[in-house]
Amino acid sequence: MKLIELYVKEVMRRLPDKRRGKVEVELRSMIEARLPEDYSEQDVKNILSELGHPAVLASRYAEKPMYLIGPRYYDLYLQLLKLILPIAITVATIIILIVTIVSGAGEEPVFTIIGDLVGGIISGIINTVIQAIFWLTLVLAIVERAEHSKSQRPLALNFEEWTPDSLREFPERPHISKNKKIPRSQIFGSLIWTAIWTTVYFNADKLLGIYQEGQQGGLEFTTPIFNQEVLVSYWPLIILVVVLEITLAAYQWRAVQWTNKLALFNSFVQLTSVLVFVLVFTNSNLINQAFRQGLEDVFGGVSALNWLIGSIVVVVIISSAVDAIQGIRKARI
């Protein structure tokens, strides 16, 4: 019948030429064997429905899967994604941070620079995620099709089939309390904040200061607030703080929830950051002399500036203390 011919053609066109002859004879014989002697069109439809979609049947004859990642590699695929993505995102963020610092921020307004930096980090993270998923999917798809094993048992991270001994290597994660869990958004936010303040710190003489309307319109940077030489002189301590903050973010990502060790390390990072911040901002030569002179000419003194710097130092100390205390409290829940 016409339905049989159409079905066979649909299967054949999905097979390599060298296999079509043998498969066509086998398929026709199988259909004819299932049909009754005096069959109707409905009998043919029932048989074809049992055989299923021509593409599925062709994939069985061709012994090729109709999916990119099959059940044998799917769990391995997810495990590798969870392992690779955090590392790739962290590395991408660090690279964007370093490139921004080395290349310099220019003389645009500070909010424009921060917006560009945040946008660059977000786009970099998205691009990194897409690239990681694409290449991992491609590699595992090729590996699965190149493998000659007929087994469908899922593979572990060591590319071996699961056994009870695997439970010792990959223990089940205990239930995580909502109050102890560390949101991924918080970790990303801390990395972005590290990138922002580091970039501003090493380009403070181009970003923080007095902006005046230029002759050709727009804002023109005229007088920096800080003495850049003083800021740069503390670069070893600043790099130390950056490394500690990135390490803390990586530790939080791996731990998933607050623990006593993580809370202790977080307290150490907060204490170190505060000490470095206080050391830098209490330097008597930190404020640019031209900016200080401008304040004296306008306000008759710099007491307001000293009060502002003191207030900022107090706020930083309090916020760091609160962060450390919250980590300890959540670890003890």
Side-chain angles (χ1 to χ4, degrees):
M1 291 184 67
K2 186 176 180 180
L3 285 178
I4 297 176
E5 293 297 326
L6 292 175
Y7 185 85
V8 172
K9 287 182 179 179
E10 284 295 311
V11 175
M12 293 305 104
R13 73 182 184 86
R14 291 177 168 85
L15 292 174
D17 293 338
K18 62 181 181 180
R19 301 207 60 184
R20 289 179 181 178
K22 180 180 178 180
V23 172
E24 183 176 358
V25 173
E26 180 180 341
L27 180 58
R28 289 182 183 276
S29 299
M30 180 172 57
I31 295 175
E32 292 175 359
R34 294 189 180 187
L35 290 172
E37 293 184 2
D38 188 17
Y39 61 86
S40 63
E41 184 176 354
Q42 186 59 45
D43 293 326
V44 174
K45 289 182 179 180
N46 292 337
I47 297 300
L48 298 184
S49 296
E50 293 177 3
L51 292 176
H53 196 287
V56 176
L57 185 60
S59 70
R60 294 173 185 168
Y61 280 117
E63 298 181 350
K64 292 182 179 179
M66 294 185 63
Y67 39 72
L68 282 176
I69 306 297
R72 180 168 171 80
Y73 283 84
Y74 185 70
D75 186 66
L76 172 63
Y77 176 70
L78 294 181
Q79 294 294 331
L80 288 175
L81 277 180
K82 293 177 182 179
L83 180 66
I84 292 173
L85 284 181
I87 299 175
I89 290 173
T90 302
V91 171
T93 303
I94 295 173
I95 291 175
I96 294 173
L97 168 64
I98 294 175
V99 170
T100 304
I101 294 174
V102 173
S103 61
E107 297 185 356
E108 298 179 358
V110 60
F111 293 108
T112 301
I113 299 300
I114 293 176
D116 292 342
L117 178 61
V118 173
I121 292 176
I122 293 175
S123 63
I125 290 175
I126 294 175
N127 182 63
T128 299
V129 171
I130 293 175
Q131 292 285 340
I133 293 176
F134 170 79
W135 288 110
L136 181 60
T137 303
L138 178 63
V139 169
L140 286 188
I142 294 175
V143 170
E144 183 169 18
R145 281 152 180 78
E147 186 184 30
H148 299 295
S149 174
K150 303 298 182 181
S151 174
Q152 289 298 309
R153 294 179 179 179
L155 298 177
L157 277 175
N158 56 3
F159 283 83
E160 295 182 0
E161 293 184 1
W162 184 91
T163 65
D165 293 334
S166 303
L167 295 173
R168 293 179 298 184
E169 298 182 24
F170 310 106
E172 183 179 358
R173 187 182 295 276
H175 175 70
I176 300 175
S177 171
K178 183 179 180 180
N179 295 327
K180 294 172 68 72
K181 186 176 181 180
I182 305 174
R184 292 288 191 258
S185 58
Q186 176 183 331
I187 300 174
F188 284 133
S190 65
L191 288 174
I192 293 175
W193 170 242
T194 299
I196 290 174
W197 76 256
T198 308
T199 301
V200 172
Y201 183 92
F202 284 103
N203 295 277
D205 60 333
K206 303 174 184 177
L207 299 176
L208 303 179
I210 299 175
Y211 289 84
Q212 296 180 349
E213 187 174 354
Q215 297 179 353
Q216 299 179 351
L219 295 176
E220 182 179 345
F221 188 83
T222 57
T223 308
I225 296 177
F226 300 108
N227 186 342
Q228 192 64 31
E229 293 181 359
V230 175
L231 291 176
V232 174
S233 66
Y234 291 100
W235 73 264
L237 296 177
I238 299 302
I239 297 301
L240 172 63
V241 173
V242 171
V243 171
L244 287 176
E245 291 186 353
I246 293 175
T247 304
L248 176 62
Y251 192 178
Q252 289 175 329
W253 185 286
R254 180 177 179 80
V256 181
Q257 63 179 341
W258 285 100
T259 62
N260 291 329
K261 290 183 179 180
L262 177 57
L264 181 62
F265 182 65
N266 178 59
S267 300
F268 172 74
V269 173
Q270 298 302 327
L271 176 61
T272 303
S273 301
V274 167
L275 291 177
V276 173
F277 182 84
V278 171
L279 179 64
V280 173
F281 272 76
T282 54
N283 190 310
S284 59
N285 298 320
L286 177 64
I287 304 300
N288 182 32
Q289 186 60 37
F291 181 80
R292 185 186 296 273
Q293 185 62 45
L295 288 181
E296 291 181 354
D297 295 340
V298 174
F299 299 103
V302 293
S303 57
L305 178 62
N306 294 332
W307 180 87
L308 178 61
I309 293 177
S311 300
I312 293 175
V313 171
V314 171
V315 169
V316 170
I317 293 175
I318 293 176
S319 61
S320 297
V322 170
D323 189 291
I325 292 173
Q326 285 181 344
I328 295 173
R329 181 180 59 81
K330 292 180 179 180
R332 293 181 176 180
I333 294 177

